[in-house]
Amino acid sequence: MPNQNQIANPQSGQLPQVKGPQMNDRDYLNDCLATCKYLTDNFNVAVREASHQQLYDDMVQILNETHQSARDAFNLMFQKGWYKLEAAEQQQLQQAYQQFSGYSTQFPYH
């Protein structure tokens, strides 16, 4: 029985039923998304620590392009049914909201 909380598109019929050692389109896209996530994590650190303005500007542009590449890879994987999400239940959302809603009073400007 399918998971009712799963958010996904139907998987396309392009993948083989039995996976061999060769990479297929899904594997390449998954690798691309994982690489983009790794790069954006590290570019975030580099941008925060850049001391030279031109270097900062260049890295922010690369960071934005890398975020867009990650988004494009995710959208394509989701469209093809190769990326699934779990829908949160209302109770989980309410608990998270209650947990973090009080934090805004700790901000210097609110």
Side-chain angles (χ1 to χ4, degrees), residues 87-105:
E89 295 179 14
Q90 185 63 36
Q91 182 180 6
Q92 291 172 312
L93 293 173
Q94 189 62 33
Q95 286 174 339
Y97 175 78
Q98 288 174 351
Q99 178 182 354
F100 295 107
S101 63
Y103 289 6
S104 64
T105 61

Side-chain angles (χ1 to χ4, degrees), residues 4-70:
Q4 299 298 334
N5 288 335
Q6 200 171 73
I7 300 170
N9 289 313
Q11 192 171 118
S12 66
Q14 299 170 347
L15 297 177
Q17 292 297 330
V18 177
K19 175 77 171 85
Q22 299 83 14
M23 289 182 69
N24 57 35
D25 289 345
R26 180 181 178 175
D27 296 329
Y28 284 115
L29 269 175
N30 195 42
D31 185 56
C32 175
L33 181 58
T35 300
C36 285
K37 288 178 179 182
Y38 173 80
L39 288 171
T40 55
D41 287 347
N42 288 292
F43 270 118
N44 277 322
V45 173
V47 165
R48 276 195 313 267
E49 296 179 2
S51 59
H52 186 270
Q53 185 62 44
Q54 185 60 47
L55 177 62
Y56 170 85
D57 293 341
D58 289 344
M59 286 195 303
V60 165
Q61 181 178 348
I62 294 168
L63 174 63
N64 288 331
E65 291 169 1
T66 307
H67 273 292
Q68 187 60 54
S69 294

